[in-house]
Amino acid sequence: QLEVQLRTIIETPAEDSDIKPFRLAKNYYKVCMNETQIELQGLDHMKSILKQLGGWPVLEGKLEICIRWFADKGLLLDSLESQLSHLHSSVEALALARRDLSVYSAHLAKSLALVSNTEEHASVSRVVSTLGELYERTEGVYAAEAGADLNILAELFRDYVCLIAAVKDTFHARGKIYQTWQSWQIILNKKREAKVKLELAGRSDKSIQAAHEVTEWEHKVERCQEDFAAISAMIKREYAGFEASRVQEFKDTMVKYLEELMGYQQQVSRIE
């Protein structure tokens, strides 16, 4: 009997004379029971409600794609940073080894010159002297190769490590903005819930203030969302430029380094 009475009351059209909680309940019931309108709207109305409550990435394809893009690029940057840092350390070790080889070649050249000067047999002295001159010339080649290692290759890797670190900083800044956006969205949702509770309780004096707070936080969330969209677009734009120009620059520098190295190797092969 009670259920029948409640159903009769709630199915009765809302009137101005009804108190606000009854009007809201009747309107909500009417909307929920309007199956024709629900079928016409499909998920659009639900999506709009979810968007007001902070959104749902599964239904928001663009946001989901954006999140996946940044996650993939973040992993790629981590991998590149690790590999380039390792390469930078390896090149520095290579340059140090070449410098040591240059120093040892110079010492050996001096030692051979001394042996040549003290050798009694002229033919042996000439051979030892020639060998000393060979090591003296290779000493300069090894020093030049060490310079190329440091000035071209190691500097290239170091610059890229610093560049990637700067890019990752912008990714972190974007993440902080996103966290702020979500935190403010939670606060906004709580403000909305408080406003609805005040309206249902008939506290018009408090609900007006709550409405102002909701509006204020809506503006904050909207601005934060705009900032998030702006920095996301900026990062994607700059990253595209990085891939287009920096990759080519990396390739050109590597070609320059290899050409110089080949030139030094040819000098070594011509030493007789």
Side-chain angles (χ1 to χ4, degrees), residues 45-250:
H45 186 60
M46 180 63 71
K47 288 181 179 179
S48 65
I49 295 175
L50 288 172
K51 185 175 182 180
Q52 293 176 1
L53 296 176
W56 188 14
V58 173
L59 294 179
E60 299 176 9
K62 291 184 178 179
L63 180 58
E64 183 185 10
I65 293 173
C66 182
I67 291 174
R68 186 166 58 249
W69 186 91
F70 277 94
D72 292 342
K73 297 304 180 184
L75 293 175
L76 177 60
L77 289 174
D78 289 339
S79 177
L80 282 175
E81 185 179 35
S82 175
Q83 293 176 18
L84 289 174
S85 297
H86 181 70
L87 284 172
H88 180 260
S89 300
S90 299
V91 170
E92 286 188 330
L94 174 62
L96 182 60
R98 290 192 199 275
R99 283 182 173 178
D100 290 342
L101 184 59
S102 174
V103 172
Y104 297 150
S105 297
H107 291 333
L108 181 57
K110 292 179 181 179
S111 299
L112 290 172
L114 292 175
V115 172
S116 174
N117 292 332
T118 58
E119 176 59 44
E120 296 180 355
H121 295 84
S123 59
V124 175
S125 177
R126 285 195 299 271
V127 171
V128 173
S129 176
T130 301
L131 186 61
E133 292 175 358
L134 184 147
Y135 276 103
E136 184 178 0
R137 293 164 65 183
T138 56
E139 176 267 334
V141 174
Y142 292 141
E145 288 180 338
D149 293 337
L150 290 175
N151 298 329
I152 299 178
L153 205 56
E155 185 176 350
L156 173 68
F157 293 150
R158 182 175 60 251
D159 289 345
Y160 267 81
V161 169
C162 294
L163 177 62
I164 290 174
V167 174
K168 289 177 66 176
D169 286 341
T170 61
F171 274 54
H172 292 320
R174 174 184 175 274
K176 290 181 179 179
I177 294 177
Y178 180 79
Q179 291 175 357
T180 302
W181 172 24
Q182 296 305 304
S183 298
W184 287 4
Q185 185 66 60
I186 292 173
I187 295 175
L188 174 59
N189 294 340
K190 292 181 179 179
K191 295 289 184 182
R192 285 171 173 166
E193 291 175 0
K195 173 177 171 291
V196 171
K197 290 179 180 179
L198 290 172
E199 290 176 346
L200 292 174
R203 301 287 301 277
S204 58
D205 54 335
K206 298 289 186 179
S207 62
I208 294 175
Q209 177 63 28
H212 289 316
E213 292 181 359
V214 167
T215 302
E216 179 183 353
W217 278 98
E218 284 177 344
H219 291 159
K220 287 184 177 181
V221 170
E222 184 178 355
R223 287 195 300 270
C224 194
Q225 186 175 0
E226 291 174 353
D227 292 341
F228 178 75
I231 193 173
S232 297
M234 183 272 292
I235 291 175
K236 294 183 74 172
R237 185 171 58 253
E238 293 296 328
Y239 194 92
F242 164 77
E243 288 185 328
S245 61
R246 285 286 182 172
V247 171
Q248 184 62 41
E249 180 184 350
F250 188 94

